[in-house]
Every structure is written in structure tokens, then in C-alpha cells.
């Protein structure tokens, strides 16, 4: 569905906050792509949960130009970030330090480079996973 997303992480954060239950963090490879990812997620949630109660409206906060778009759906918060913004803010690390638990997404995510299911994230640093040095968009800060 979101084949252009990379480094997708979902965390259960119910033990460390009462604001939300889950945090999802994804990266795209360009500003237009990040905007498209955020729009696709908002549209899919709207279609899937039409007429059902949702605490958050999913109205985007931030822009692709800022490097970070937040979609707040109440029980789920989705962060669409550039690799540099994700590395700088270290959302994964901050939630993990507070008691957030990585969720196993291996049954829903497939690595397109060799079609193997993605492995766990415990062994690699954020810098290794995002490979920021190889970033090609000169406009990202």
C-alpha cells in the first residue's frame, strides 16, 4: 500500500503516555513523496473508518518542507519524516527510552530489494538504518 515508505517502525507506547497508544514512524525519499505518503495515509484512514468514532482527525501538522509531518488519529500517531529529521529528533530512541515497545511488523512489511521479510531493528543504530550520508536531495536540512 505504501511501497514508497522506508524504515517503517511501529511502537506500543501505552506504558509511557496517555496521549496515544501507538506511534508509527516512516521515511520517504523526497519532500513530494513525504507529502504523498501523508495524504495516502489520511485518505486510507478516512475511508476505512468513515462514520466511526476517532479521537484525532488526522489533520496534518507540519509540512513536507519542514521535514516532518504528524498525523494524529488519537490512538495512533503517524510521523512521516525525512531521514535527516528522523535522525536529528530520534523519535524511535526517545520512545524506547520511555518504555515504548517495538511491534513486530514482519508479517506486513516486505523488503522490496530482495523480497525478504524485514528483520528486527535491535542491532542497528538509527544512522545505519537511515544511511543519511547517501542522501541525494540537497534541499533537505
Amino acid at each position: 500500500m505504501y511501497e514508497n515508505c522506508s524504515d517503517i517502525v511501529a511502537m506500543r507506547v501505552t506504558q509511557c503516555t496517555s496521549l496515544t497508544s501507538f506511534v508509527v514512524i516512516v521515511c520517504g525519499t523526497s519532500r513530494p513523496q513525504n507529502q504523498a505518503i501523508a495524504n495516502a495515509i489520511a485518505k486510507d484512514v478516512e475511508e476505512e473508518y468513515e462514520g466511526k468514532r476517532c479521537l484525532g482527525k488526522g489533520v496534518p501538522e507540519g509540512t513536507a518542507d519542514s521535514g516532518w509531518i504528524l498525523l494524529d488519529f488519537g490512538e495512533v500517531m503517524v510521523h512521516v519524516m525525512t531521514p535527516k529529521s528522523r535522525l536529528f529528533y530520534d523519535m524511535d530512541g526517545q520512545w524506547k527510552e520511555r518504555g515504548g515497545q517495538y511491534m513486530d511488523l514482519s508479517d506486513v512489511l516486505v523488503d522490496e530489494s530482495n523480497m525478504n521479510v524485514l528483520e528486527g531493528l535491535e542491532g542497528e543504530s538509527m544512522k545505519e538504518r537511515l544511511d543519511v550520508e547517501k542522501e541525494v536531495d540537497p534541499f533537505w536540512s
Side-chain angles (χ1 to χ4, degrees):
M1 182 182 316
Y2 305 104
E3 61 274 349
N4 295 320
C5 297
S6 64
D7 203 38
I8 302 169
V9 170
M11 300 181 84
R12 181 183 310 274
V13 295
T14 52
Q15 294 181 348
C16 46
T17 185
S18 60
L19 295 176
T20 190
S21 299
F22 301 95
V23 172
V24 177
I25 307 167
V26 304
C27 285
T29 58
S30 70
R31 291 176 182 173
Q33 183 182 49
N34 281 1
Q35 189 64 55
I37 291 167
N39 290 343
I41 292 170
K43 181 182 175 202
D44 286 353
V45 170
E46 182 180 327
E47 289 174 2
E48 181 71 26
Y49 295 97
E50 184 178 357
K52 297 178 184 170
R53 183 176 171 265
C54 185
L55 295 176
K57 302 285 185 206
V59 176
E61 295 180 33
T63 65
D65 288 337
S66 73
W68 185 356
I69 302 170
L70 170 67
L71 302 168
D72 181 357
F73 296 105
E75 291 183 2
V76 178
M77 288 192 180
V78 180
H79 300 268
V80 182
M81 306 178 85
T82 63
K84 282 188 178 182
S85 292
R86 187 166 176 183
L87 182 64
F88 179 80
Y89 291 105
D90 189 24
M91 297 294 294
D92 309 58
Q94 289 188 45
W95 282 113
K96 187 175 179 182
E97 282 180 19
R98 291 186 177 109
Q101 302 167 331
Y102 284 108
M103 298 179 63
D104 180 11
L105 301 176
S106 61
D107 58 338
V108 293
L109 297 181
V110 176
D111 182 353
E112 292 180 4
S113 64
N114 61 9
M115 297 306 289
N116 289 331
V117 175
L118 293 175
E119 298 297 323
L121 303 170
E122 300 301 323
E124 294 183 10
S125 71
M126 178 60 63
K127 186 174 181 179
E128 290 169 327
R129 291 194 342 249
L130 296 177
D131 201 9
V132 172
E133 271 65 8
K134 294 183 180 178
E135 200 170 291
V136 294
D137 186 345
F139 300 107
W140 286 3
S141 56

